[in-house]
C-alpha cells in the first residue's frame, strides 16, 4: 500500500465533491408519542438537577402522568386519523413503522405506564420514616444497605425520584420496540428500555440485597441475550445486505431488486438467514420470558420492587411480543415453514413449564412470575397462527393481560407485615376473612389469569386458542388447555387459601393505599370485567389494528 | 266456545293460587271458595258439553291456542288445548266427581286447621288434571302429568306430622318418577322421530314410521302409565298412598289421577295399533295387575287398603281393555267413568265409616254398622253391587264388555286374557263381599279408641278420648249428599251409557271402535260373568257371613300372608332395587374412589413431583441460567437448521 493511498484513508482531496448526508426526513407528528415520552424523561432529568428536593416528587409525578397522558392522546389521535389502517406507513427514513399493531401496542404500553406511575408514586403503604413519607424505593440507591450513609439518607428524607425519568425512558424504548422497522432500531430500542429496567430492579427500599441481586442477574443475562441478538442481526445483515425489514423480506422471498456487490459472496446464504433468525428470535424470547430463556423471570420478579415488577411484567411483555410479531410477520413470513415448528416446541414447553413449576411455588411474586411464563406460552400460540386473527388475538390478549398483571401486583403491595410486603403464601391464609374486598379483588385477578369466563382472561385465551386452532395448530390448543387446567390449580389454591383457611394470629395486615394505587387496582378490575363480559368491541378494535405495514 | 276451554283450567288454578298464597285471613272462606271454583269449572264443562252434543259427531272437536311456550326454530312448544269427546268425558268426570268431593271435604276436613291449604291442593290437582286431559300435545300433557304428581305428593303427605304419611308421599313420588321418566323418554323419541309432539301430527304419521320405533315409544308410554296408574311393576305406591285424607283417596287415587295412564294409552291408540308387541305388553300388564290387585284386596283388613287393591285391579281391567285395541278403547273409558262413580262412592263411604268410628280403619273392629249408618250403608251397598257387576248396575255393563272384548282378542291370548278377566270378576265379588260383610254385618267388634300418644295415626282435629268406645253415627248431610249422588251414578251410569250404544257412538269418532267377535257368544260370556260373581259372593259369605270374624287376624295361608304384605312387592323392591341400587352406588363410589380419584390424584401427584424436580433447575446462579440460555439457543439454532434439512 502506497503512502498516498494510506493518506487518502483519512483525508480527501479538496477538489473532490463532498457527499453530503442529506438531512433525514422525520415525521414528527407520527412519532409524537415516543417523542413526548422521551422529552418528558429528559425534563425529568432536569428536574432532578434543578428542582428543590421537597417538590421533586410532585414535579416528577406530574410530568410523568401528563407526558404519558399526552402521548396516549397522540396515539389515539393518530389512530383516529387513520394511521392505524389506511394511512399506515413507514416513518423516520424507514426506521419506524406507524401502523395498527404499533399504535395498539403503544396505547397499551402507555396505559400500563400511567398505572405504573401511580403504583410507583404510592407513599402511604410504609410507615413514615422520620416524618417523611416513603415509597417503595430506596432513599439513596447508591448507599450500601444498612450502612450509616443509608440511615443518614433516610433521616434526611431523600427519595429516589429518578425512578420516574427512568420509567419514562423505559417506556420510550418500549414504544419504539414494537414499531421498529429495521434491526438496528430494534436493537437500540431493546437497550433503551432494558437498561432503565435493570436499574429500577435494584432500588427496592426493603430487601435491597435481594433487589440488587435480581438486578445484576437481569443485567448479566440481558446482556447475554442482547449479544445473541446483535450477532443474529449481523448474520442477517450478511445474508441480506441490509438491516431493513422490507429488504430482508424481499431477499427471503427472492424478489430483491439489487445486490450489494460487497456482500455478493454471502448474500442469500440460507445458513446465515436461519442462524441469524434463530438468534434474533432468541433475544426476543428472552424478553417475553419463554422457556428455556425464562430463568431470570422468577428471580427478577421476586427481587424487584413490586411496582416495578408489575409494570415490567405487563409492559415488557407487550413490547417484546409486538417486536416478535413484526419480525415474524413482516420479515420472515417467507420463512414460516422453518420457524413455525420450532416456535411450536417453544410454545409447548413454555406453557407446560410455567404451569408445572408454578404448582410448588410458595412466594406469591414467584408464583405470578411462573404464571407470566405460562401466559407467554399462551400468547405464543396466537403468534404461531400466522393469520390476521392470530395478530388481533395476541393484541387483545396483551391488552387484557397487562391490566390484570398490574392490578395483581398492586394488590401484592398492599398485604404487609413488619418486614414489608408479606409475599410468602402461607401468610395469605385467611385473608378473605380479614379483608374481604382486597381478597375478592385479588380473586378476580386470579380468575382472570386462570381464564375463567366473564373475565378478560377467558376472552383473551379463547381468541388466542381459536386463532391457533384455525391456523392448524390443534395440538398446541390441546396442550394449552391442559396447561390452563394445571395453572387453574395454583390460582384457585390461592383463592382457597384466602377464603377457606383460618387466618394466622400474627398474619399480615392490609394497608390502606392512597387513591393512586386504588386507581391502578380499580382500573385493573374494571378492565378485567368489562373485557370479560363485553369483549366484542375490543376484539373488533384489535381486529382493525391487526395489519402490519411493510 | 273455544275460549271457554282455558277457563276450565284457569278457575281451579286461580283457586289454588289464591288459597295457597292468601294466608290465614282466608281460613274462614277458603273451603267455600275452593268448592265454588271447582263447581264453576264443572259448570263450564257442562256448557261446553251441551255445545258439543249439539254438533255433528264429526265436528265436535274444538281447540284453543293460548300462546307459544317455547317458539324456537325446529322446536315448537305451544300451550294449546284440544277438546274432543274423549277429553270431554274426562272433563265432566274430573270436575263432576271433583266438585262432589270438594263438598264432601267441607264436612270431612271440618276440624282440620289446615283445611284452606287442603282445598288449595285439591284445586291445584283439578287444574293439573284438566291440563293433562285438555293438552293438545304430549309436552303440555307432561306438564299436567307432573302437576298431578305434585298434587298427589302434597295430598298423600298432607298429614305430614305422621312419619308414615311423609314416607308414603315420598314413596309415591319416587315410584312415579320412574314412570315419568318413561313419558319423557317417549316424548323425546317422538320428537326425534316425528319432529313434533303435537297429538295430531304424531298420531297421523304412525304409518310412515318403523314398527320398532313405535314399539319403543309404546313401551315407554306404558311405563309412564304403569307409574301413574299403579300397574305392575310400579304398583307399590298406591297402597301406602291411603295415608292421605280419604277424600284424596277417593278423588285422586281412585276416580281420576290413577286413570291418567288409561287416558294416555287410549289417546295414543294410533301408536299402539301400529305396534302389536307394545299392545300385547299392555294387555299383559293389565291382566297381571287385575289379579294382583284383587288378591291383595282379599287379604287387607284396612278398609282403605282393601279398596286400594280393588282400584289397582279395576284399573288393570281398563289397561287390559286399552291394550285390546279398537275393540277395547271405548270400554276402557266406559269402565273408567263408571269406576269413577262407584269407587269414589265406596271411598267416601269408607271415609264416612271412619268418621263415625274414631278413624278406625281395621275392618275386624267394625261390624254391624248398617243400623247406625243407614245412608252410608245404602250408598256403599249400591257401590258394592255396582263394582261386583250385579246385573243392571254400572259395573255390570262396563266390566262385562271388557271381558267380552278380552275373549274377542282371539286365539290362545284371547282365552287366557278372558279367563283372567273372569277370574278377576270372581275375586272382585269375593273381596268386596268380604268388605261389605265385615263392615256392615255381623256382630259389633268395636274396640276402645287407642291412646293417641301411642298411636299417632289419628287424624288431627277429631276428638278422640283414649279408652272411649266408638259411637257410630251417620255423617252430616254435606258428606252424605255427595255419596248419594255418586250412588245414583253407580246405579244408572252403566245402563245409561250402554243402552243404544250411546257411549260407543259418543267416543267412536275419537278412538275408533270395532265390534269384537268372541269365540263364544256374548250371552255365554255374560252368563259366566254373573255365575262367577255369584260364586265369589257365596265363598265370601261362607267365610265371613256365616262364621264370626275374629278380631285378631288368623295366621292364614302362605298366600294370605303374602297378600297381606302386598304380595311381597316391597320385599321384592327392597331386595332387587334398593339392595341392587345400594350395591350399584357402592361399586360406583368404589370406582370413583379408586379409579377416578386414583387417576386424578395420581396426575396431581405426578405434576407436583415434576414441579418439585423442575424447580430445582432454578438454583439461583446466574451462570446456570446462562448455560440454560446457551443450550436453548443452540437447540433453537439446530432445530431451525434441521427443519430446513428435513
Amino acid at each position: 500500500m502506497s503512502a498516498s493511498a494510506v493518506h487518502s484513508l483519512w483525508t480527501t482531496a479538496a477538489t473532490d465533491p463532498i457527499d453530503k448526508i442529506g438531512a433525514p426526513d422525520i415525521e414528527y407528528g407520527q412519532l409524537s408519542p415516543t417523542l413526548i415520552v422521551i422529552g418528558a424523561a429528559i425534563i425529568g432529568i432536569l428536574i432532578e438537577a434543578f428542582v428543590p428536593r421537597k417538590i421533586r416528587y410532585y414535579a416528577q409525578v406530574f410530568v410523568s402522568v401528563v407526558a404519558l397522558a399526552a402521548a396516549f392522546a397522540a396515539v389515539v389521535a393518530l389512530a383516529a386519523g387513520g394511521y392505524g389502517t389506511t394511512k399506515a406507513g413507514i416513518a423516520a427514513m424507514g426506521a419506524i413503522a406507524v401502523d395498527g399493531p404499533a399504535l395498539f401496542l403503544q396505547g397499551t404500553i402507555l396505559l400500563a405506564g400511567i398505572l405504573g406511575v401511580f403504583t410507583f408514586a404510592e407513599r402511604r403503604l410504609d410507615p413514615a420514616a422520620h416524618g417523611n413519607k416513603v415509597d417503595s424505593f430506596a432513599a439513596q440507591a447508591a448507599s450500601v444497605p444498612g450502612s450509616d450513609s443509608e440511615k443518614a439518607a433516610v433521616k434526611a428524607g431523600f427519595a429516589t425520584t429518578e425512578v420516574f425519568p427512568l420509567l419514562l425512558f423505559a417506556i420510550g424504548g418500549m414504544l419504539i420496540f414494537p414499531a421498529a422497522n429495521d434491526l438496528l432500531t430494534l436493537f437500540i430500542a431493546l437497550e433503551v428500555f432494558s437498561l432503565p429496567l435493570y436499574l429500577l430492579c435494584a432500588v427496592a427500599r426493603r430487601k435491597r440485597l435481594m433487589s440488587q441481586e435480581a438486578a445484576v442477574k437481569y443485567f448479566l443475562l440481558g446482556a447475554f441475550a442482547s449479544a445473541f441478538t446483535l450477532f443474529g442481526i449481523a448474520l442477517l445483515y450478511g445474508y441480506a445486505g441490509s438491516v431493513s425489514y422490507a429488504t430482508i423480506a424481499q431477499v427471503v422471498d427472492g424478489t430483491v431488486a439489487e445486490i450489494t456487490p460487497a456482500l455478493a459472496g454471502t448474500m442469500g446464504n440460507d445458513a446465515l438467514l436461519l442462524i441469524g433468525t434463530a438468534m434474533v428470535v432468541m433475544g426476543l424470547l428472552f424478553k417475553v420470558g419463554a422457556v428455556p430463556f425464562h430463568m431470570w423471570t422468577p428471580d427478577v420478579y421476586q427481587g424487584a420492587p413490586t411496582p416495578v415488577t408489575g409494570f415490567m411484567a405487563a409492559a415488557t411483555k407487550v413490547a417484546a411480543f409486538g417486536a416478535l410479531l413484526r419480525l415474524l410477520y413482516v420479515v420472515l413470513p417467507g420463512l414460516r415453514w422453518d420457524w413455525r415448528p420450532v416456535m411450536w416446541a417453544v410454545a409447548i414447553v413454555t406453557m407446560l413449564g410455567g404451569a408445572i413449576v408454578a404448582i410448588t411455588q410458595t412466594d406469591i411474586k414467584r408464583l405470578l412470575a411462573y404464571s407470566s411464563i405460562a401466559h407467554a406460552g399462551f400468547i405464543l400460540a396466537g403468534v404461531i397462527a400466522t393469520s390476521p386473527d392470530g395478530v388481533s388475538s395476541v393484541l387483545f390478549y396483551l391488552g387484557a393481560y397487562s391490566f390484570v398483571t398490574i392490578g395483581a401486583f398492586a394488590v401484592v403491595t398492599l398485604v404487609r407485615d413488619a418486614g414489608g410486603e408479606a409475599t410468602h403464601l402461607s401468610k395469605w391464609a385467611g385473608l378473605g376473612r380479614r379483608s374481604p374486598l382486597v381478597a375478592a379483588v385479588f380473586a378476580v385477578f386470579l380468575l382472570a389469569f386462570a381464564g375463567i369466563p366473564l373475565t378478560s382472561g377467558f376472552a383473551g385465551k379463547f381468541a388466542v386458542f381459536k386463532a391457533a386452532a384455525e391456523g392448524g395448530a390443534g395440538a398446541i390448543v390441546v396442550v394449552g388447555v391442559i396447561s390452563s387446567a394445571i395453572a387453574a390449580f395454583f390460582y384457585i389454591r390461592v383463592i382457597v387459601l384466602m377464603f377457606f383457611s383460618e387466618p394466622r394470629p400474627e398474619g399480615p395486615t392490609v394497608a390502606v393505599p392512597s387513591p393512586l394505587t386504588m386507581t391502578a387496582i380499580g382500573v385493573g378490575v374494571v378492565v378485567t370485567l368489562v373485557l370479560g363480559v363485553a369483549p366484542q368491541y375490543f376484539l373488533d378494535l384489535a381486529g382493525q389494528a391487526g395489519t402490519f405495514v411493510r | 266456545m273455544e275460549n271457554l276451554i282455558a277457563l276450565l283450567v284457569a278457575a281451579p288454578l286461580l283457586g289454588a293460587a289464591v288459597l295457597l298464597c292468601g294466608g290465614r285471613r282466608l281460613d274462614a272462606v277458603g273451603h267455600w271458595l275452593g268448592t265454588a271454583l271447582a263447581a264453576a269449572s264443572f259448570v263450564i264443562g257442562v256448557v261446553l258439553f251441551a255445545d258439543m252434543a249439539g254438533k255433528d259427531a264429526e265436528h265436535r272437536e274444538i281447540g284453543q291456542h293460548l300462546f307459544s311456550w317455547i317458539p324456537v326454530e325446529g322446536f315448537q312448544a305451544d300451550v294449546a288445548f284440544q277438546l274432543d269427546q274423549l277429553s270431554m268425558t274426562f272433563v265432566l268426570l274430573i270436575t263432576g266427581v271433583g266438585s262432589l268431593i270438594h263438598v264432601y271435604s267441607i264436612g270431612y276436613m271440618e276440624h282440620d286447621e289446615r283445611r284452606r291449604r287442603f282445598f288449595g291442593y285439591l284445586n291445584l290437582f283439578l287444574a293439573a288434571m284438566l291440563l293433562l286431559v285438555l293438552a293438545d300435545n304430549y309436552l303440555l300433557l307432561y306438564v299436567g302429568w307432573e302437576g298431578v304428581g305434585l298434587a298427589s305428593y302434597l295430598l298423600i303427605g298432607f298429614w305430614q306430622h305422621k312419619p308414615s304419611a311423609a314416607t308414603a308421599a315420598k314413596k309415591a313420588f319416587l315410584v312415579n318418577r320412574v314412570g315419568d321418566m318413561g313419558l319423557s323418554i317417549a316424548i323425546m323419541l317422538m320428537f326425534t322421530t316425528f319432529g313434533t309432539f303435537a297429538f295430531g301430527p304424531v298420531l297421523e304419521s304412525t304409518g310412515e314410521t318403523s314398527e320398532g320405533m313405535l314399539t319403543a315409544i309404546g313401551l315407554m308410554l306404558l311405563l309412564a302409565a304403569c307409574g301413574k296408574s299403579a300397574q305392575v311393576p310400579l304398583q307399590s305406591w298406591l297402597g301406602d298412598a291411603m295415608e292421605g285424607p280419604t277424600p284424596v283417596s277417593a278423588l285422586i287415587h281412585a276416580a281420576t289421577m290413577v286413570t291418567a295412564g288409561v287416558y294416555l294409552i287410549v289417546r295414543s291408540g294410533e301408536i299402539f295399533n301400529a305396534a302389536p308387541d307394545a299392545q300385547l305388553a299392555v294387555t299383559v300388564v293389565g291382566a297381571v295387575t287385575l289379579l294382583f290387585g284383587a288378591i291383595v284386596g282379599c287379604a287387607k283388613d284396612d278398609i282403605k287398603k282393601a279398596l286400594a287393591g280393588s282400584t289397582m285391579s279395576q284399573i288393570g281391567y281398563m289397561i287390559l281393555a286399552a291394550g285390546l285395541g279398537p275393540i277395547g278403547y271405548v270400554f276402557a273409558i266406559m269402565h273408567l267413568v263408571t269406576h269413577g262413580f262407584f269407587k269414589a262412592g265406596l271411598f267416601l263411604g269408607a271415609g264416612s265409616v271412619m268418621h263415625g268410628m274414631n278413624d278406625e280403619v281395621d275392618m275386624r273392629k267394625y261390624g254391624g254398622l248398617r243400623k247406625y249408618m243407614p245412608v252410608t250403608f245404602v250408598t256403599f251397598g249400591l257401590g258394592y253391587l255396582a263394582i261386583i257387576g250385579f246385573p243392571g248396575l254400572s259395573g255390570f255393563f262396563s266390566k262385562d264388555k271388557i271381558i267380552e272384548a278380552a275373549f274377542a282378542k282371539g286365539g290362545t291370548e284371547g282365552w287366557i286374557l278372558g279367563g283372567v278377566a273372569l277370574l278377576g270378576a270372581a275375586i272382585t265379588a269375593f273381596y268386596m263381599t268380604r268388605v261389605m260383610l265385615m263392615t256392615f254385618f255381623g256382630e259389633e267388634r268395636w274396640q276402645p279408641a287407642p291412646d293417641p300418644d301411642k298411636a299417632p295415626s289419628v287424624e288431627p282435629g277429631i276428638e278422640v278420648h283414649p279408652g272411649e268406645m266408638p259411637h257410630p253415627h251417620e255423617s252430616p248431610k254435606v258428606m252424605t249428599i255427595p255419596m248419594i249422588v255418586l250412588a245414583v251414578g253407580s246405579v244408572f251410569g252403566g245402563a245409561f251409557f250402554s243402552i243404544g250404544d250411546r257411549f260407543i257412538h259418543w267416543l267412536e269418532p275419537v278412538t275408533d271402535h270395532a265390534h269384537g267377535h268372541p269365540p263364544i257368544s256374548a250371552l255365554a260370556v255374560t252368563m259366566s260373568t254373573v255365575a262367577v260373581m255369584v260364586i265369589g259372593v257365596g265363598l265370601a259369605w261362607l267365610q265371613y257371613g256365616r262364621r264370626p270374624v275374629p278380631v285378631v287376624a288368623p295366621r292364614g295361608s302362605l298366600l294370605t300372608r303374602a297378600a297381606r304384605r302386598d304380595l311381597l312387592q316391597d320385599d321384592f323392591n327392597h331386595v332387587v332395587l334398593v339392595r341392587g341400587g345400594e350395591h350399584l352406588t357402592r361399586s360406583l363410589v368404589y370406582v370413583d374412589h379408586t379409579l377416578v380419584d386414583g387417576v386424578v390424584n395420581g396426575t396431581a401427584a405426578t405434576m407436583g413431583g415434576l414441579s418439585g424436580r423442575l424447580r430445582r433447575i432454578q438454583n439461583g446462579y446466574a451462570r446456570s441460567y446462562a448455560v440454560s440460555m446457551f443450550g436453548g439457543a443452540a437447540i433453537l439454532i439446530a432445530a431451525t437448521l434441521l427443519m430446513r434439512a428435513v
Side-chain angles (χ1 to χ4, degrees):
Chain A
M1 197 180 283
S2 68
S4 66
V6 171
H7 184 73
S8 68
L9 280 178
W10 61 85
T11 59
T12 36
T15 52
D16 289 350
I18 296 169
D19 275 343
K20 283 188 183 165
I21 298 173
D25 255 345
I26 304 291
E27 293 83 349
Y28 290 100
Q30 295 177 39
L31 300 178
S32 55
T34 317
L35 296 177
I36 292 169
V37 172
I38 303 244
I42 293 167
I43 294 172
I45 299 288
L46 295 176
I47 290 173
E48 286 299 317
F50 296 112
V51 172
R53 193 183 295 280
K54 294 224 163 197
I55 56 168
R56 246 182 242 168
Y57 165 82
Y58 301 99
Q60 292 286 20
V61 173
F62 176 75
V63 168
S64 305
V65 172
V66 168
L68 292 172
F72 183 72
V75 167
V76 173
L78 285 174
Y83 285 98
T85 49
T86 49
K87 286 202 244 166
I90 310 291
M93 306 292 284
I96 307 274
V98 179
D99 57 9
L103 289 174
F104 189 95
L105 294 171
Q106 285 175 342
T108 310
I109 292 168
L110 286 166
L111 289 177
I114 293 174
L115 297 185
V117 170
F118 287 170
T119 55
F120 276 41
E122 176 62 52
R123 297 208 293 178
R124 283 209 199 147
L125 298 176
D126 255 343
H130 303 288
N132 300 307
K133 290 181 187 168
V134 296
D135 53 20
S136 306
F137 303 103
Q140 194 172 33
S143 56
V144 176
S147 68
D148 290 340
S149 76
E150 189 189 36
K151 283 172 190 155
V154 171
K155 196 165 187 183
F158 289 2
T160 313
T161 42
E162 291 91 343
V163 293
F164 294 102
L166 285 173
L167 176 69
L168 289 179
F169 276 122
I171 294 175
M174 287 172 181
L175 294 181
I176 302 173
F177 202 47
N181 201 44
D182 69 45
L183 291 170
L184 278 183
T185 312
L186 179 81
F187 184 73
I188 290 164
L190 175 70
E191 293 304 314
V192 166
F193 85 76
S194 295
L195 290 169
L197 286 179
Y198 301 150
L199 280 176
L200 286 169
C201 287
V203 295
R205 169 175 289 272
R206 294 169 180 270
K207 301 178 188 155
R208 186 127 57 86
L209 284 175
M210 210 172 147
S211 161
Q212 289 175 344
E213 183 192 331
V216 170
K217 279 182 189 166
Y218 192 15
F219 172 68
L220 283 175
L221 298 172
F224 191 47
S226 294
F228 274 94
T229 308
L230 198 53
F231 193 22
I233 290 172
L235 293 177
L236 285 178
Y237 179 72
Y239 167 78
S242 166
V243 290
S244 151
Y245 280 7
T247 315
I248 299 173
Q250 282 172 355
V251 178
V252 171
D253 296 344
T255 56
V256 67
E258 55 176 293
I259 298 172
T260 315
L263 294 167
T266 55
M267 250 185 90
N269 182 334
D270 276 358
L272 291 182
L273 170 65
L274 295 173
I275 298 172
T277 301
M279 292 174 103
V280 174
V281 166
M282 181 225 140
L284 296 174
L285 290 177
F286 172 83
K287 281 292 164 199
V288 303
V291 177
F293 314 107
H294 67 288
M295 310 280 276
W296 61 277
T297 324
D299 291 15
V300 174
Y301 276 26
Q302 187 185 13
T306 307
V308 175
T309 311
F311 168 73
M312 188 166 68
T316 308
K317 203 151 264 175
V318 177
F321 266 112
L324 187 63
L325 275 178
R326 189 175 296 278
L327 189 71
L328 296 178
Y329 281 63
V330 174
V331 185
L332 303 168
L335 207 59
R336 63 175 172 278
W337 302 115
D338 296 287
W339 61 257
R340 269 186 73 169
V342 181
M343 295 297 274
W344 268 54
V346 173
I348 288 175
V349 296
T350 305
M351 290 188 281
L352 285 177
I356 290 174
V357 181
I359 293 176
T360 42
Q361 297 306 314
T362 51
D363 184 282
I364 188 75
K365 283 170 82 178
R366 283 184 90 82
L367 182 86
L368 292 177
Y370 280 104
S371 139
S372 89
I373 294 169
H375 280 281
F378 298 140
I379 303 175
L380 275 177
V383 172
I384 293 165
T386 51
S387 64
D389 274 356
V391 179
S392 62
S393 69
V394 170
L395 295 183
F396 180 86
Y397 201 119
L398 288 170
Y401 176 75
S402 17
F403 287 96
V404 182
T405 305
I406 292 188
F409 278 105
V411 174
V412 171
T413 64
L414 303 184
V415 182
R416 309 178 81 87
D417 59 13
E421 288 159 14
T423 55
H424 199 276
L425 271 180
S426 62
K427 295 182 178 166
W428 286 57
L431 193 71
R433 306 266 179 91
R434 285 203 195 138
S435 311
L437 182 64
V438 169
V441 165
F442 198 62
V444 169
F445 290 134
L446 288 171
L447 293 176
F449 279 133
I452 305 297
L454 298 184
T455 64
S456 60
F458 173 76
K461 217 174 252 183
F462 184 79
V464 167
F465 285 164
K466 179 166 164 276
E470 282 168 0
I476 294 233
V477 175
V478 172
V479 175
V481 171
I482 292 172
S483 314
S484 301
I486 299 172
F489 167 75
F490 56 79
Y491 296 127
I492 290 170
R493 192 176 61 137
V494 177
I495 296 179
V496 169
L497 196 65
M498 289 193 299
F499 288 97
F500 303 105
S501 302
E502 285 302 316
R504 290 187 156 198
E506 70 288 4
T509 54
V510 171
V512 179
S514 69
L516 292 168
T517 301
M518 279 191 207
T519 310
I521 296 174
V523 170
V525 170
V526 169
V527 171
T528 301
L529 294 179
V530 167
L531 259 57
V533 175
Q536 197 54 49
Y537 173 77
F538 301 94
L539 282 169
D540 290 345
L541 195 68
Q544 286 167 13
T547 315
F548 285 100
V549 70
R550 181 167 165 179
Chain B
M1 275 300 153
E2 285 82 0
N3 296 332
L4 285 179
I5 302 177
L7 282 181
L8 278 173
V9 182
L13 195 63
L14 174 77
V18 170
L19 291 176
L20 293 179
C21 305
R24 299 205 167 277
R25 75 201 84 141
L26 289 176
D27 273 353
V29 294
H31 47 287
W32 293 115
L33 181 67
T35 309
L37 284 166
S41 195
F42 177 66
V43 170
I44 299 167
V46 169
V47 169
L48 282 166
F49 173 73
D51 178 62
M52 181 182 279
K55 295 184 191 165
D56 305 339
E58 300 303 318
H59 301 100
R60 282 176 174 168
E61 182 183 328
I62 56 175
Q64 183 185 10
H65 183 272
L66 214 56
F67 58 92
S68 280
W69 179 21
I70 309 174
V72 183
E73 179 69 31
F75 184 96
Q76 294 296 325
D78 292 335
V79 174
F81 298 125
Q82 165 186 332
L83 184 67
D84 57 13
Q85 291 91 321
L86 181 60
S87 306
M88 193 74 239
T89 312
F90 272 90
V91 165
L92 290 178
L93 176 72
I94 295 162
T95 55
V97 176
S99 300
L100 289 174
I101 288 174
H102 272 76
V103 173
Y104 178 90
S105 302
I106 294 173
Y108 191 83
M109 301 298 283
E110 191 177 357
H111 303 290
D112 196 298
E113 55 188 21
R114 291 162 74 232
R115 180 163 65 165
R116 171 182 54 83
R117 185 180 292 267
F118 180 81
F119 277 86
Y121 290 156
L122 276 189
N123 272 4
L124 177 68
F125 167 76
L126 280 190
M129 190 74 202
L130 287 168
L131 188 66
L132 196 165
V133 298
L134 285 170
D136 91 329
N137 62 70
Y138 282 97
L139 197 66
L140 192 61
L141 178 147
Y142 189 60
V143 176
W145 190 270
E146 292 293 332
V148 294
L150 170 69
S152 161
Y153 167 80
L154 291 170
L155 286 165
I156 295 171
F158 186 73
W159 288 319
Q160 64 224 50
H161 57 274
K162 293 198 295 182
S164 57
T167 311
K170 207 191 301 177
K171 184 176 181 184
F173 197 79
L174 287 176
V175 176
N176 266 292
R177 292 313 299 167
V178 180
D180 297 348
M181 203 50 70
L183 182 53
S184 62
I185 293 173
I187 294 174
M188 291 177 214
L189 287 177
M190 281 174 201
F191 186 71
T192 52
T193 313
F194 305 106
T196 175
F197 30 67
F199 287 151
V202 168
L203 299 177
E204 276 158 24
S205 43
T206 48
E208 302 130 35
T209 314
S210 77
E211 195 187 312
M213 177 54 75
L214 289 174
T215 306
I217 295 175
L219 290 176
M220 285 298 119
L221 290 174
L222 174 62
L223 181 65
C226 285
K228 198 60 81 192
S229 295
Q231 299 293 292
V232 176
L234 298 180
Q235 79 291 354
S236 65
W237 63 274
L238 187 63
D240 297 272
M242 297 303 127
E243 288 290 339
T246 307
V248 173
S249 309
L251 177 62
I252 301 185
H253 304 121
T256 54
M257 185 191 84
V258 284
T259 59
V262 182
Y263 172 77
L264 184 68
I265 290 176
V266 172
R267 179 58 85 188
S268 314
E270 310 281 347
I271 293 174
F272 286 96
N273 291 346
D277 292 339
Q279 225 171 16
L280 182 65
V282 174
T283 54
V284 169
V285 165
V288 169
T289 310
L290 85 84
L291 285 183
F292 189 104
I295 293 171
V296 169
C298 294
K300 290 289 179 186
D301 291 331
D302 178 327
I303 184 167
K304 282 179 74 182
K305 292 203 171 169
L307 289 177
S310 158
T311 303
M312 201 186 283
S313 168
Q314 297 303 312
I315 298 170
Y317 273 107
M318 300 171 210
I319 294 276
L320 169 63
L324 295 173
I327 56 172
Y329 291 140
V330 171
F331 303 128
I333 300 298
M334 189 161 108
H335 192 55
L336 192 156
V337 175
T338 56
H339 174 257
F341 286 127
F342 58 69
K343 186 52 67 65
L346 288 169
F347 264 109
L348 295 189
S352 176
V353 169
M354 288 160 59
H355 204 70
M357 292 291 289
N358 290 348
D359 274 315
E360 182 59 67
V361 290
D362 188 349
M363 295 186 291
R364 293 189 183 276
K365 296 173 185 166
Y366 292 166
L369 291 176
R370 65 181 183 281
K371 286 172 282 186
Y372 304 92
M373 309 173 94
V375 181
T376 306
F377 169 63
V378 171
T379 54
F380 196 94
L382 289 172
Y384 155 75
L385 291 177
I387 193 173
I388 64 171
F390 191 82
L393 273 70
S394 283
F396 168 75
F397 290 102
S398 52
K399 198 190 289 176
D400 180 58
K401 293 287 184 195
I402 292 177
I403 296 171
E404 249 176 63
F407 278 112
K409 169 92 172 161
T412 327
E413 292 165 25
W415 283 106
I416 294 173
L417 293 175
V420 167
L422 263 185
L423 180 61
I427 306 178
T428 305
F430 176 83
Y431 67 73
M432 282 314 299
T433 311
R434 175 176 175 268
V435 168
M436 198 68 199
L437 292 173
M438 284 173 85
T439 305
F440 293 103
F441 295 90
E443 72 278 29
E444 295 165 5
R445 303 179 299 275
W446 310 341
Q447 302 290 313
D451 184 351
D453 295 334
K454 283 177 192 158
S457 67
V458 174
E459 297 178 12
I462 295 173
E463 293 282 318
V464 175
H465 304 291
E468 190 187 344
M469 288 303 284
H471 303 287
H473 54 274
E474 191 50 86
S475 296
K477 284 222 168 53
V478 73
M479 287 167 72
T480 51
I481 288 173
M483 289 155 62
I484 294 168
V485 175
L486 287 171
V488 170
S490 309
V491 174
F492 299 109
F496 176 76
F497 291 151
S498 291
I499 291 168
D501 287 344
R502 276 207 189 93
F503 204 72
I504 294 175
H505 293 313
W506 168 250
L507 268 189
E508 197 175 25
V510 182
T511 60
D512 264 346
H513 180 69
H515 277 288
H517 300 286
I520 45 177
S521 76
L523 186 65
V525 174
T526 309
M527 296 300 287
S528 341
T529 312
V530 174
V532 297
M533 185 261 287
V534 171
I535 294 171
V537 172
L539 285 175
W541 185 77
L542 286 176
Q543 186 153 2
Y544 299 99
R546 220 176 46 161
R547 287 183 277 183
V549 178
V551 174
V552 176
R555 189 170 143 79
S557 68
L558 204 61
L559 180 66
T560 312
R561 274 178 284 152
R564 280 190 196 134
R565 289 181 69 95
D566 300 292
L567 291 178
L568 306 180
Q569 61 182 14
D570 292 337
D571 308 77
F572 176 84
N573 286 350
H574 188 75
V575 170
V576 176
L577 300 177
V578 178
R579 289 269 176 77
E582 277 172 358
H583 280 296
L584 185 67
T585 49
R586 264 192 226 127
S587 1
L588 284 177
V589 166
Y590 178 76
V591 170
D592 187 53
H593 277 178
T594 52
L595 198 68
V596 178
D597 286 7
V599 170
V600 171
N601 293 338
T603 313
T606 312
M607 284 296 161
L610 195 62
S611 176
R613 232 161 279 151
L614 282 177
R615 71 180 290 202
R616 269 184 236 149
I617 300 172
Q618 191 82 23
N619 57 11
Y621 293 115
R623 56 175 187 263
S624 308
Y625 298 175
V627 168
S628 144
M629 284 169 59
F630 186 80
I635 295 171
L636 205 62
I637 293 167
T640 315
L641 288 174
L642 200 66
M643 279 305 138
R644 176 57 64 92
V646 176

